[in-house]
Amino acid sequence: MSGSERREQLIRISRTLFAEKGFDGTSIEEIAATAQVSKPVVYEHFGGKEGVYAVVVDREMQKLLTMITEALAASHSLIKVERAALALLQYIEESSEGFRILVRDSHAASGTGTFASLISEIASQVEDVLADEFAARGYDPKSAPMYAQMLVGMVALTGQWWLDVRKPGREEVAAHLVNLAWNGLRGLNPHPAISAVTQARAAAAPPKPRPSSEKELRELEKARERELKEAEKVRQRELKEAEKARVRELKERERLLKEAEKAREREEKIRQREAKLAERAARLEQVDQSE
């Protein structure tokens, strides 16, 4: 076995042990014994347990960050949120050991490789997306960092829960996550589903190498145009739904104002009637006294 092959073997074995037992529960002796090598071999490659742990954590962080970054490259904001949620759940499903390592309270040997720092890095990318979206919709872009932390934290904590339960499936979990993030509690869809654009991408084969022929370029451009059209349809539908909601809210407000006005009129009539009755009673009392 070559030096590079031995190094990769040690990383794989350490990754499994760290996921099962954590940093403190794993020893150099156990890593070496599992790999059927002597302890000096591990020291030669990594300098100690801290060294191999740092490599494992860094690899997992880079893998997850790459998946999230690619998901955020979509054109429409809804599609970005969907794909980012699916990317995290896909990572959890396919790299459970790596995610277990990341969500542990990372040892100081991992440097910045803590779950909190990972969430912070992802949130900084989401922050840029939200700032543009807020500006386009007339909201204050300065609040984008706060919303980015909320959004990423919600997805990350759901991922931690799903790591063990694994039910329902990742697309259904992603659909519910996006349902809450996109619609809010007030506008929850009772039967959420991932959009057709994201479903098609998730079901597609792994991405092919960069196209070289004109035919491949044209096909890629057509696919992008279809995605943009679908995203625009989604956006227009959302705008129509938002407008309908505003109209319903205005009608409800108008109805409440009318009811309040009618109630005030009724109260005024009752007050006037009571005043007349009091005035009549006072006159009758004066008549009785004069007699």
Side-chain angles (χ1 to χ4, degrees):
M1 183 178 292
S2 66
S4 61
E5 289 173 338
R6 177 68 69 190
R7 177 182 174 84
E8 291 302 317
Q9 178 205 28
L10 291 171
I11 291 173
R12 288 195 303 272
I13 289 172
S14 300
R15 180 177 183 267
T16 299
L17 292 173
F18 288 139
E20 291 176 356
K21 303 181 178 183
F23 178 85
D24 293 329
T26 304
S27 65
I28 285 289
E29 288 83 357
E30 192 172 7
I31 295 172
T34 306
Q36 296 182 344
V37 298
S38 62
K39 289 194 295 182
V41 174
V42 182
Y43 286 116
E44 179 185 350
H45 283 281
F46 303 102
K49 185 173 69 170
E50 291 81 2
V52 67
Y53 185 80
V55 171
V56 169
V57 170
D58 184 67
R59 285 192 176 188
E60 295 304 321
M61 287 187 67
Q62 292 306 316
K63 181 178 180 180
L64 179 54
L65 283 172
T66 299
M67 294 174 70
I68 297 293
T69 301
E70 290 176 353
L72 293 175
S75 57
H76 189 268
S77 297
L78 174 60
I79 306 302
K80 289 180 182 181
V81 175
E82 286 182 341
R83 291 184 181 176
L86 273 175
L88 175 62
L89 295 174
Q90 180 184 351
Y91 170 78
I92 294 172
E93 191 169 56
E94 298 175 356
S95 304
S96 297
E97 289 183 346
F99 190 70
R100 288 187 189 279
I101 294 170
L102 291 179
V103 297
R104 289 181 186 273
D105 291 331
S106 299
H107 190 270
S110 65
T112 59
T114 65
F115 193 54
S117 66
L118 175 66
I119 294 302
S120 184
E121 286 193 44
I122 297 174
S124 66
Q125 298 185 46
V126 175
E127 177 185 327
D128 295 334
V129 175
L130 290 181
D132 294 340
E133 189 69 20
F134 280 15
R137 293 172 180 261
Y139 302 146
D140 185 4
K142 293 180 180 178
S143 61
M146 176 178 63
Y147 277 90
Q149 293 288 339
M150 293 175 184
L151 182 59
V152 175
M154 177 181 71
V155 176
L157 286 175
T158 303
Q160 286 184 261
W161 164 79
W162 190 72
L163 174 64
D164 295 317
V165 298
R166 297 300 177 91
K167 290 182 180 181
R170 73 184 184 201
E171 285 199 6
E172 186 175 348
V173 174
H176 283 282
L177 273 169
V178 176
N179 187 27
L180 177 58
W182 195 259
N183 297 319
L185 287 172
R186 184 175 180 181
L188 277 181
N189 183 340
H191 305 291
I194 293 296
S195 66
V197 176
T198 302
Q199 283 182 347
R201 183 177 185 272
K208 296 180 180 179
R210 187 178 180 85
S212 56
S213 67
E214 291 186 6
K215 182 179 179 182
E216 289 177 331
L217 286 171
R218 285 196 298 271
E219 289 177 352
L220 180 60
E221 186 61 32
K222 288 180 181 179
R224 287 175 178 168
E225 289 178 359
R226 286 195 296 271
E227 180 179 331
L228 288 172
K229 287 180 180 178
E230 181 64 26
E232 180 61 22
K233 288 180 181 178
V234 172
R235 192 180 71 85
Q236 291 297 331
R237 185 164 60 247
E238 291 167 355
L239 290 174
K240 288 181 180 178
E241 290 174 355
E243 182 61 28
K244 289 179 180 178
R246 282 195 292 270
V247 170
R248 287 195 299 270
E249 187 175 345
L250 288 173
K251 288 182 178 179
E252 179 65 14
R253 188 180 301 173
E254 184 178 352
R255 184 183 66 81
L256 292 173
L257 287 173
K258 287 181 179 179
E259 289 182 356
E261 182 63 28
K262 289 180 180 179
R264 282 194 295 271
E265 290 177 355
R266 286 195 298 270
E267 290 175 357
E268 180 62 22
K269 288 180 179 179
I270 292 172
R271 190 186 65 77
Q272 292 176 358
R273 186 163 56 250
E274 290 176 346
K276 289 180 179 179
L277 289 172
E279 183 180 351
R280 184 181 302 171
R283 286 201 301 269
L284 290 173
E285 185 177 352
Q286 289 177 356
V287 171
D288 291 340
Q289 291 177 354
S290 62
E291 291 178 354

